[in-house]
Coordinates of all heavy atoms in Angstrom, one line a residue:
M1 N 75.9 96.3 70.6 CA 76.6 97.4 71.1 C 78.1 97.1 71.0 O 78.6 96.0 71.4 CB 76.2 97.7 72.5 CG 76.9 98.9 73.1 SD 76.4 99.2 74.8 CE 74.8 100.1 74.5
G2 N 78.9 98.1 70.5 CA 80.3 97.9 70.3 C 81.2 98.9 71.1 O 80.7 99.8 71.6
L3 N 82.4 98.5 71.2 CA 83.4 99.4 71.9 C 83.9 100.4 70.9 O 84.3 100.1 69.8 CB 84.5 98.5 72.4 CG 85.6 99.2 73.2 CD1 84.9 99.8 74.5 CD2 86.6 98.1 73.6
N4 N 83.9 101.7 71.3 CA 84.3 102.8 70.4 C 85.3 103.7 71.0 O 85.2 104.0 72.2 CB 83.0 103.5 70.0 CG 83.1 104.4 68.8 OD1 84.2 104.5 68.2 ND2 82.1 105.1 68.4
N5 N 86.2 104.3 70.2 CA 87.1 105.3 70.6 C 87.9 104.9 71.9 O 88.1 105.7 72.8 CB 86.4 106.6 70.9 CG 85.8 107.2 69.6 OD1 86.3 107.0 68.5 ND2 84.6 107.8 69.8
L6 N 88.5 103.7 71.9 CA 89.2 103.2 73.0 C 90.6 103.8 73.0 O 91.3 103.9 71.9 CB 89.4 101.6 72.8 CG 90.1 100.9 73.9 CD1 89.4 101.1 75.2 CD2 90.3 99.5 73.6
E7 N 91.1 104.3 74.1 CA 92.4 104.8 74.3 C 93.1 103.9 75.4 O 92.5 103.6 76.4 CB 92.4 106.2 74.7 CG 92.0 107.2 73.6 CD 92.1 108.6 74.1 OE1 93.1 109.0 74.8 OE2 91.2 109.4 73.8
I8 N 94.4 103.7 75.2 CA 95.1 102.9 76.1 C 96.1 103.8 76.9 O 96.9 104.5 76.3 CB 95.9 101.8 75.5 CG1 94.9 100.8 74.8 CG2 96.7 101.0 76.4 CD1 95.5 99.8 73.9
H9 N 96.0 103.8 78.2 CA 97.0 104.5 79.1 C 97.6 103.5 80.0 O 97.0 102.7 80.7 CB 96.2 105.6 79.9 CG 95.5 106.5 79.0 ND1 96.1 107.5 78.3 CD2 94.2 106.7 78.7 CE1 95.3 108.2 77.6 NE2 94.1 107.7 77.8
F10 N 98.9 103.6 80.1 CA 99.6 102.7 81.0 C 100.8 103.4 81.6 O 101.0 104.6 81.4 CB 100.1 101.4 80.2 CG 100.9 101.7 79.0 CD1 102.3 101.6 79.0 CD2 100.4 102.2 77.8 CE1 103.1 101.9 77.9 CE2 101.2 102.5 76.7 CZ 102.5 102.3 76.8
V11 N 101.6 102.7 82.4 CA 102.6 103.3 83.2 C 103.7 104.1 82.5 O 104.4 104.9 83.1 CB 103.3 102.3 84.2 CG1 102.3 101.8 85.2 CG2 104.0 101.2 83.4
L12 N 103.9 103.8 81.2 CA 104.9 104.6 80.5 C 104.3 105.8 79.8 O 105.0 106.6 79.2 CB 105.5 103.7 79.4 CG 106.3 102.5 79.9 CD1 106.8 101.6 78.8 CD2 107.4 102.9 80.9
S13 N 103.0 106.1 79.9 CA 102.3 107.2 79.3 C 102.7 108.5 80.2 O 102.4 108.5 81.4 CB 100.8 107.1 79.3 OG 100.4 106.0 78.6
H14 N 103.3 109.5 79.6 CA 103.7 110.7 80.3 C 102.5 111.4 80.8 O 102.6 112.0 81.9 CB 104.5 111.6 79.4 CG 105.8 111.1 79.0 ND1 106.9 111.3 79.8 CD2 106.2 110.4 77.9 CE1 107.9 110.7 79.3 NE2 107.6 110.2 78.1
Q15 N 101.4 111.4 80.1 CA 100.2 112.2 80.6 C 99.6 111.7 81.9 O 99.1 112.5 82.7 CB 99.1 112.0 79.5 CG 97.9 112.9 79.8 CD 96.8 112.7 78.6 OE1 97.0 112.0 77.7 NE2 95.8 113.5 78.8
Y16 N 99.7 110.4 82.2 CA 99.1 109.9 83.4 C 100.2 109.3 84.4 O 99.9 108.6 85.3 CB 98.1 108.8 83.1 CG 96.9 109.4 82.3 CD1 96.8 109.2 81.0 CD2 96.0 110.1 83.0 CE1 95.8 109.8 80.2 CE2 94.9 110.7 82.3 CZ 94.8 110.5 80.9 OH 93.8 111.1 80.2
A17 N 101.4 109.6 84.2 CA 102.5 109.0 85.0 C 102.3 109.3 86.5 O 102.6 108.4 87.3 CB 103.9 109.6 84.6
D18 N 101.8 110.4 86.9 CA 101.6 110.8 88.3 C 100.4 110.1 88.9 O 100.1 110.4 90.1 CB 101.7 112.3 88.5 CG 100.5 113.0 87.8 OD1 99.8 112.4 87.0 OD2 100.3 114.2 88.1
C19 N 99.7 109.4 88.2 CA 98.5 108.7 88.7 C 98.7 107.3 89.2 O 97.8 106.7 89.8 CB 97.4 108.6 87.6 SG 96.8 110.2 87.0
F20 N 100.0 106.9 89.2 CA 100.3 105.5 89.6 C 101.0 105.5 91.0 O 101.5 104.5 91.4 CB 101.2 104.8 88.6 CG 100.4 104.6 87.3 CD1 100.6 105.5 86.2 CD2 99.6 103.6 87.2 CE1 100.0 105.3 85.0 CE2 98.9 103.4 85.9 CZ 99.1 104.2 84.9
G21 N 101.0 106.6 91.7 CA 101.7 106.7 93.0 C 101.9 108.1 93.4 O 101.4 109.0 92.7
F22 N 102.7 108.3 94.4 CA 103.0 109.7 94.9 C 104.2 110.3 94.1 O 105.2 109.6 93.9 CB 103.3 109.7 96.3 CG 102.2 109.5 97.3 CD1 102.5 109.0 98.6 CD2 100.9 109.7 96.9 CE1 101.5 108.7 99.5 CE2 99.9 109.5 97.8 CZ 100.1 109.0 99.1
T23 N 104.1 111.5 93.7 CA 105.3 112.2 93.1 C 106.2 112.7 94.2 O 105.8 112.7 95.4 CB 104.8 113.4 92.3 OG1 104.2 114.3 93.2 CG2 103.9 113.0 91.2
A24 N 107.4 113.1 93.9 CA 108.3 113.5 94.9 C 107.8 114.8 95.6 O 107.9 114.9 96.8 CB 109.7 113.9 94.2
A25 N 107.1 115.7 94.9 CA 106.5 116.9 95.5 C 105.4 116.5 96.5 O 105.3 117.1 97.6 CB 105.9 117.8 94.4
E26 N 104.6 115.4 96.2 CA 103.6 115.0 97.1 C 104.2 114.4 98.4 O 103.7 114.6 99.5 CB 102.7 114.0 96.4 CG 101.8 114.7 95.3 CD 101.1 113.7 94.5 OE1 101.6 112.6 94.3 OE2 100.0 114.1 94.0
V27 N 105.3 113.7 98.2 CA 105.9 113.1 99.4 C 106.5 114.2 100.3 O 106.4 114.1 101.5 CB 107.1 112.1 99.0 CG1 107.9 111.6 100.1 CG2 106.4 110.9 98.2
E28 N 107.2 115.1 99.7 CA 107.7 116.3 100.4 C 106.6 117.0 101.2 O 106.8 117.4 102.3 CB 108.5 117.2 99.5 CG 109.8 116.6 99.0 CD 110.5 117.5 98.0 OE1 109.9 118.5 97.5 OE2 111.6 117.1 97.6
K29 N 105.5 117.2 100.5 CA 104.4 117.9 101.2 C 103.8 117.1 102.3 O 103.5 117.7 103.4 CB 103.3 118.2 100.1 CG 102.1 119.0 100.6 CD 101.2 119.3 99.5 CE 100.0 120.2 100.0 NZ 99.1 120.5 98.9
L30 N 103.7 115.8 102.2 CA 103.2 114.9 103.2 C 104.2 115.0 104.4 O 103.8 115.1 105.6 CB 103.1 113.5 102.7 CG 102.8 112.4 103.7 CD1 101.3 112.5 104.1 CD2 103.0 111.0 103.2
L31 N 105.5 114.9 104.2 CA 106.5 115.0 105.2 C 106.4 116.3 106.0 O 106.5 116.4 107.2 CB 107.9 114.7 104.7 CG 108.1 113.2 104.2 CD1 109.5 113.1 103.6 CD2 107.9 112.2 105.4
D32 N 106.3 117.3 105.2 CA 106.2 118.7 105.8 C 105.0 118.8 106.7 O 105.1 119.4 107.8 CB 106.2 119.7 104.7 CG 106.3 121.2 105.2 OD1 107.1 121.4 106.0 OD2 105.4 122.0 104.7
Y33 N 103.9 118.3 106.2 CA 102.6 118.3 107.0 C 102.8 117.6 108.4 O 102.3 118.1 109.4 CB 101.5 117.6 106.3 CG 100.2 117.5 107.0 CD1 99.4 118.6 107.0 CD2 99.9 116.4 107.7 CE1 98.1 118.6 107.7 CE2 98.7 116.3 108.4 CZ 97.8 117.4 108.4 OH 96.6 117.3 109.1
Y34 N 103.6 116.5 108.5 CA 103.8 115.8 109.7 C 105.1 116.3 110.5 O 105.5 115.7 111.4 CB 103.9 114.3 109.5 CG 102.5 113.7 109.2 CD1 102.1 113.4 107.9 CD2 101.6 113.5 110.2 CE1 100.8 112.9 107.7 CE2 100.3 113.0 110.0 CZ 99.9 112.7 108.7 OH 98.7 112.2 108.5
G35 N 105.7 117.3 109.9 CA 106.9 117.8 110.6 C 108.1 116.9 110.4 O 109.0 116.8 111.3
L36 N 108.1 116.2 109.4 CA 109.2 115.2 109.1 C 110.0 115.5 107.9 O 110.6 114.5 107.3 CB 108.6 113.8 109.0 CG 107.7 113.3 110.2 CD1 107.0 112.0 109.8 CD2 108.6 113.0 111.4
S37 N 110.1 116.7 107.5 CA 110.8 117.1 106.3 C 112.2 116.6 106.2 O 112.7 116.2 105.1 CB 110.9 118.6 106.1 OG 109.6 119.1 106.0
E38 N 112.9 116.5 107.3 CA 114.3 116.0 107.3 C 114.4 114.5 107.0 O 115.5 114.0 106.7 CB 114.9 116.2 108.7 CG 114.5 115.3 109.8 CD 113.1 115.7 110.4 OE1 112.5 116.7 110.1 OE2 112.6 114.9 111.3
K39 N 113.3 113.8 106.9 CA 113.3 112.3 106.6 C 113.2 112.0 105.1 O 113.2 110.9 104.7 CB 112.1 111.7 107.3 CG 112.2 111.7 108.8 CD 113.3 110.9 109.4 CE 113.2 110.9 110.9 NZ 114.3 110.0 111.4
Y40 N 113.1 113.1 104.3 CA 113.0 112.9 102.8 C 114.1 112.0 102.2 O 113.9 111.1 101.5 CB 112.8 114.2 102.1 CG 112.7 114.0 100.6 CD1 111.5 113.5 100.1 CD2 113.7 114.2 99.7 CE1 111.3 113.3 98.7 CE2 113.6 114.0 98.4 CZ 112.4 113.5 97.9 OH 112.2 113.3 96.5
G41 N 115.3 112.3 102.6 CA 116.5 111.5 102.1 C 116.3 110.1 102.4 O 116.6 109.2 101.6
E42 N 115.9 109.8 103.7 CA 115.7 108.4 104.1 C 114.7 107.7 103.3 O 114.8 106.6 102.8 CB 115.3 108.4 105.6 CG 115.0 107.1 106.2 CD 114.6 107.2 107.6 OE1 115.0 108.1 108.3 OE2 113.8 106.3 108.0
L43 N 113.5 108.4 103.1 CA 112.4 107.8 102.3 C 112.9 107.6 100.8 O 112.5 106.6 100.3 CB 111.2 108.7 102.3 CG 110.3 108.5 103.6 CD1 109.7 109.7 104.0 CD2 109.3 107.4 103.2
K44 N 113.6 108.5 100.3 CA 114.1 108.4 98.9 C 115.0 107.2 98.8 O 114.9 106.4 97.8 CB 114.8 109.7 98.5 CG 115.2 109.6 97.0 CD 115.5 111.0 96.5 CE 116.0 111.0 95.1 NZ 115.0 110.6 94.2
R45 N 115.9 107.0 99.7 CA 116.8 105.8 99.7 C 116.0 104.5 99.7 O 116.4 103.5 99.1 CB 117.8 105.9 100.8 CG 119.0 106.8 100.6 CD 120.1 106.5 101.6 NE 119.6 106.7 103.0 CZ 119.5 107.8 103.6 NH1 119.7 109.0 103.0 NH2 119.1 107.9 104.9
W46 N 115.0 104.5 100.5 CA 114.2 103.2 100.8 C 113.2 103.0 99.7 O 112.9 101.8 99.3 CB 113.6 103.2 102.1 CG 114.5 102.9 103.2 CD1 115.2 103.8 104.0 CD2 114.8 101.6 103.7 NE1 116.0 103.1 104.9 CE2 115.8 101.7 104.7 CE3 114.5 100.3 103.3 CZ2 116.3 100.6 105.4 CZ3 115.0 99.2 104.0 CH2 115.9 99.4 105.0
Y47 N 112.5 104.0 99.2 CA 111.3 103.8 98.5 C 111.2 104.4 97.1 O 110.2 104.3 96.4 CB 110.0 104.2 99.3 CG 109.9 103.5 100.6 CD1 110.2 104.2 101.8 CD2 109.6 102.2 100.6 CE1 110.1 103.6 103.0 CE2 109.6 101.5 101.9 CZ 109.8 102.2 103.0 OH 109.7 101.6 104.2
D48 N 112.3 105.0 96.6 CA 112.2 105.7 95.3 C 112.7 104.6 94.2 O 113.7 104.7 93.7 CB 113.2 106.9 95.3 CG 113.2 107.6 94.0 OD1 112.2 107.5 93.3 OD2 114.2 108.3 93.7
G49 N 111.8 103.7 93.9 CA 112.2 102.6 93.0 C 111.4 102.6 91.7 O 111.6 101.7 91.0
Y50 N 110.5 103.5 91.5 CA 109.6 103.4 90.3 C 109.8 104.6 89.4 O 110.0 105.7 89.9 CB 108.1 103.3 90.7 CG 107.8 102.2 91.6 CD1 107.7 102.4 92.9 CD2 107.7 100.9 91.0 CE1 107.4 101.3 93.8 CE2 107.4 99.8 91.9 CZ 107.2 100.0 93.2 OH 107.0 98.9 94.0
R51 N 109.8 104.4 88.1 CA 109.9 105.5 87.2 C 108.8 105.2 86.1 O 108.9 104.3 85.3 CB 111.3 105.6 86.6 CG 111.5 106.8 85.7 CD 112.9 107.2 85.8 NE 113.2 108.4 85.1 CZ 113.0 109.6 85.6 NH1 112.8 109.8 86.9 NH2 113.3 110.7 84.9
F52 N 107.8 106.1 86.2 CA 106.6 106.0 85.2 C 106.6 107.2 84.4 O 106.5 108.3 84.9 CB 105.3 105.8 86.0 CG 105.2 104.6 86.8 CD1 104.5 104.7 88.0 CD2 105.7 103.4 86.4 CE1 104.4 103.5 88.8 CE2 105.5 102.3 87.2 CZ 104.9 102.3 88.4
G53 N 106.6 107.0 83.1 CA 106.5 108.1 82.1 C 107.5 109.2 82.3 O 107.2 110.4 82.2
G54 N 108.7 108.8 82.7 CA 109.8 109.7 82.9 C 109.8 110.5 84.3 O 110.5 111.4 84.5
Q55 N 108.9 110.0 85.2 CA 108.8 110.7 86.4 C 109.0 109.7 87.6 O 108.6 108.6 87.6 CB 107.3 111.2 86.6 CG 107.2 112.3 87.6 CD 105.8 113.0 87.5 OE1 105.4 113.4 88.5 NE2 105.2 113.0 86.3
D56 N 109.8 110.1 88.7 CA 110.0 109.3 89.8 C 108.7 109.2 90.6 O 108.1 110.2 90.9 CB 111.1 109.9 90.7 CG 112.5 109.8 90.1 OD1 112.6 108.9 89.3 OD2 113.3 110.6 90.5
I57 N 108.3 108.0 90.9 CA 107.0 107.7 91.6 C 107.2 106.8 92.8 O 108.0 105.9 92.7 CB 106.0 107.1 90.7 CG1 105.7 108.0 89.5 CG2 104.7 106.7 91.4 CD1 105.0 109.3 89.8
Y58 N 106.6 107.2 93.9 CA 106.7 106.4 95.2 C 105.5 105.6 95.4 O 104.4 106.0 95.1 CB 106.9 107.4 96.3 CG 108.2 108.2 96.3 CD1 108.3 109.3 95.6 CD2 109.3 107.8 97.1 CE1 109.5 110.1 95.5 CE2 110.4 108.5 97.1 CZ 110.5 109.7 96.3 OH 111.7 110.4 96.3
N59 N 105.6 104.4 95.9 CA 104.6 103.5 96.3 C 103.8 104.1 97.5 O 104.3 104.3 98.5 CB 105.1 102.2 96.6 CG 104.1 101.2 97.1 OD1 103.2 101.5 97.8 ND2 104.2 100.0 96.6
P60 N 102.5 104.5 97.3 CA 101.8 105.1 98.3 C 101.7 104.3 99.6 O 101.8 104.9 100.7 CB 100.4 105.3 97.7 CG 100.6 105.3 96.3 CD 101.7 104.4 96.1
W61 N 101.5 103.0 99.5 CA 101.3 102.2 100.7 C 102.6 102.2 101.5 O 102.6 102.4 102.7 CB 100.9 100.8 100.4 CG 100.7 100.0 101.6 CD1 99.5 99.8 102.2 CD2 101.7 99.2 102.4 NE1 99.6 99.0 103.4 CE2 101.0 98.6 103.5 CE3 103.0 99.0 102.2 CZ2 101.6 97.8 104.4 CZ3 103.7 98.2 103.2 CH2 103.0 97.7 104.2
S62 N 103.7 102.1 100.8 CA 105.0 102.1 101.5 C 105.3 103.4 102.2 O 105.8 103.5 103.3 CB 106.2 101.8 100.5 OG 106.0 100.5 100.0
I63 N 105.0 104.5 101.5 CA 105.3 105.8 102.1 C 104.4 106.1 103.3 O 104.9 106.5 104.3 CB 105.0 107.0 101.0 CG1 106.1 106.8 99.9 CG2 105.1 108.3 101.6 CD1 107.5 106.9 100.3
M64 N 103.1 105.8 103.2 CA 102.2 106.0 104.3 C 102.5 105.2 105.5 O 102.5 105.6 106.6 CB 100.7 105.8 103.9 CG 100.3 106.8 102.8 SD 100.4 108.5 103.3 CE 99.2 108.6 104.6
N65 N 102.9 103.9 105.2 CA 103.3 103.0 106.3 C 104.6 103.5 107.0 O 104.7 103.5 108.2 CB 103.5 101.6 105.8 CG 103.6 100.6 106.9 OD1 102.7 100.6 107.8 ND2 104.6 99.7 106.8
H66 N 105.5 104.0 106.2 CA 106.8 104.5 106.8 C 106.6 105.7 107.6 O 107.1 105.9 108.7 CB 107.8 104.7 105.7 CG 109.2 104.9 106.2 ND1 110.0 103.8 106.6 CD2 109.9 106.0 106.4 CE1 111.2 104.3 107.0 NE2 111.1 105.6 106.9
V67 N 105.7 106.6 107.1 CA 105.4 107.9 107.8 C 104.7 107.5 109.1 O 105.0 108.1 110.2 CB 104.6 108.9 107.0 CG1 104.0 110.0 107.8 CG2 105.4 109.4 105.8
K68 N 103.8 106.6 109.1 CA 103.1 106.2 110.3 C 104.1 105.6 111.3 O 104.0 105.9 112.5 CB 102.0 105.2 110.0 CG 101.2 104.7 111.2 CD 100.1 103.7 110.7 CE 100.7 102.5 110.2 NZ 99.7 101.4 109.9
T69 N 105.1 104.8 110.9 CA 106.1 104.2 111.8 C 107.0 105.3 112.4 O 107.2 105.3 113.6 CB 107.0 103.2 111.0 OG1 106.1 102.2 110.4 CG2 108.0 102.6 111.9
I70 N 107.4 106.3 111.5 CA 108.3 107.4 112.0 C 107.4 108.2 113.1 O 108.0 108.5 114.1 CB 108.7 108.3 110.9 CG1 109.7 107.6 110.0 CG2 109.4 109.5 111.4 CD1 110.0 108.3 108.7
E71 N 106.2 108.5 112.8 CA 105.4 109.3 113.7 C 105.2 108.6 115.0 O 105.3 109.2 116.1 CB 104.0 109.5 113.0 CG 103.2 110.5 113.7 CD 101.9 110.8 113.0 OE1 101.3 109.8 112.4 OE2 101.4 111.9 113.1
H72 N 105.0 107.3 115.0 CA 104.9 106.5 116.3 C 106.2 106.5 117.0 O 106.2 106.6 118.3 CB 104.4 105.1 116.0 CG 102.9 105.0 115.7 ND1 101.9 105.4 116.5 CD2 102.3 104.6 114.6 CE1 100.8 105.3 115.9 NE2 101.0 104.8 114.7
E73 N 107.3 106.3 116.3 CA 108.6 106.3 117.0 C 108.9 107.7 117.6 O 109.4 107.7 118.7 CB 109.7 106.0 116.0 CG 109.7 104.5 115.5 CD 110.7 104.2 114.4 OE1 111.4 105.2 113.9 OE2 110.8 103.1 114.0
T74 N 108.6 108.7 116.9 CA 108.8 110.1 117.4 C 107.9 110.3 118.7 O 108.4 110.9 119.7 CB 108.5 111.1 116.4 OG1 109.2 110.9 115.2 CG2 108.7 112.5 116.8
A75 N 106.7 109.9 118.6 CA 105.8 110.0 119.8 C 106.3 109.2 121.0 O 106.3 109.6 122.1 CB 104.4 109.6 119.4
D76 N 106.8 108.0 120.7 CA 107.3 107.1 121.8 C 108.5 107.8 122.5 O 108.7 107.7 123.6 CB 107.7 105.7 121.2 CG 106.5 104.9 120.9 OD1 105.4 105.2 121.3 OD2 106.7 103.9 120.2
L77 N 109.4 108.4 121.6 CA 110.6 109.0 122.2 C 110.2 110.2 123.1 O 110.8 110.5 124.1 CB 111.5 109.5 121.1 CG 112.3 108.4 120.3 CD1 113.0 109.0 119.2 CD2 113.2 107.6 121.2
S78 N 109.2 111.0 122.6 CA 108.8 112.2 123.4 C 108.1 111.7 124.7 O 108.3 112.4 125.8 CB 107.9 113.1 122.6 OG 106.6 112.5 122.5
V79 N 107.4 110.6 124.7 CA 106.8 110.1 126.0 C 107.9 109.6 126.9 O 107.9 109.9 128.1 CB 105.8 108.9 125.7 CG1 105.4 108.2 127.0 CG2 104.6 109.5 125.0
E80 N 108.9 108.9 126.4 CA 110.0 108.5 127.2 C 110.8 109.7 127.8 O 111.2 109.6 129.0 CB 111.0 107.6 126.4 CG 110.5 106.3 126.1 CD 111.5 105.5 125.3 OE1 112.7 105.8 125.2 OE2 111.1 104.5 124.7
G81 N 111.0 110.7 127.1 CA 111.6 111.9 127.6 C 110.8 112.6 128.7 O 111.4 113.1 129.6
D82 N 109.5 112.5 128.6 CA 108.6 113.0 129.7 C 108.7 112.3 131.0 O 108.5 112.8 132.1 CB 107.1 113.1 129.2 CG 106.9 114.0 128.1 OD1 107.8 115.0 127.9 OD2 105.9 114.0 127.4
R83 N 109.0 111.0 130.9 CA 109.1 110.1 132.1 C 110.4 110.4 132.9 O 110.4 110.0 134.0 CB 109.1 108.7 131.7 CG 107.7 108.3 131.1 CD 107.8 106.8 130.8 NE 106.6 106.5 130.0 CZ 106.5 105.4 129.2 NH1 107.5 104.5 129.1 NH2 105.4 105.2 128.5
E84 N 111.4 110.9 132.3 CA 112.7 111.1 133.0 C 112.7 112.3 133.9 O 112.0 113.1 133.9 CB 113.8 111.2 131.9 CG 114.0 110.0 131.1 CD 115.0 110.1 130.0 OE1 115.6 111.2 129.8 OE2 115.2 109.2 129.3

C-alpha cells in the first residue's frame, strides 16, 4: 500500500492560515460575548505576535487565559464594590 495524492499545508499557506489560531474577528467576537470589547487594544498589544498566510493570528491559549483573568478581575471588583 502506498501514499497517494499527498498535499502539504503549513502556516504560510493562505488557504489554511486561520486554522492555526484565532483571527482578529474571532477575538473581537469573543470579547464582545463577555462584554469586554474595550479590551481589544490591550489584547492586541500583548498577544498579536503571529502572522500566518498573510493573516494576523492570535494564540488561542493566551487569549482564553487572558479573558479568564480579566473576567475574574472584573468579578472581584464588583464584589468589592458590593461590600462598601
Side-chain angles (χ1 to χ4, degrees):
M1 183 178 277
L3 187 59
N4 194 2
N5 298 322
L6 180 65
E7 290 185 38
I8 298 172
H9 301 285
F10 57 101
V11 296
L12 298 178
S13 300
H14 290 277
Q15 184 178 5
Y16 297 102
D18 62 350
C19 295
F20 295 99
F22 289 157
T23 63
E26 291 169 329
V27 172
E28 289 174 352
K29 188 175 181 179
L30 176 73
L31 292 174
D32 187 46
Y33 177 83
Y34 285 102
L36 301 169
S37 297
E38 74 281 355
K39 299 290 187 178
Y40 180 74
E42 177 183 328
L43 276 148
K44 185 166 179 61
R45 278 192 306 278
W46 280 95
Y47 301 111
D48 182 26
Y50 301 102
R51 189 147 182 90
F52 296 143
Q55 200 170 151
D56 290 334
I57 298 294
Y58 294 82
N59 178 315
W61 185 89
S62 297
I63 296 300
M64 295 303 293
N65 193 48
H66 193 80
V67 167
K68 182 175 67 172
T69 301
I70 293 170
E71 191 177 34
H72 287 297
E73 288 173 357
T74 304
D76 289 345
L77 289 175
S78 70
V79 169
E80 286 179 17
D82 291 344
R83 292 182 192 159
E84 295 175 359

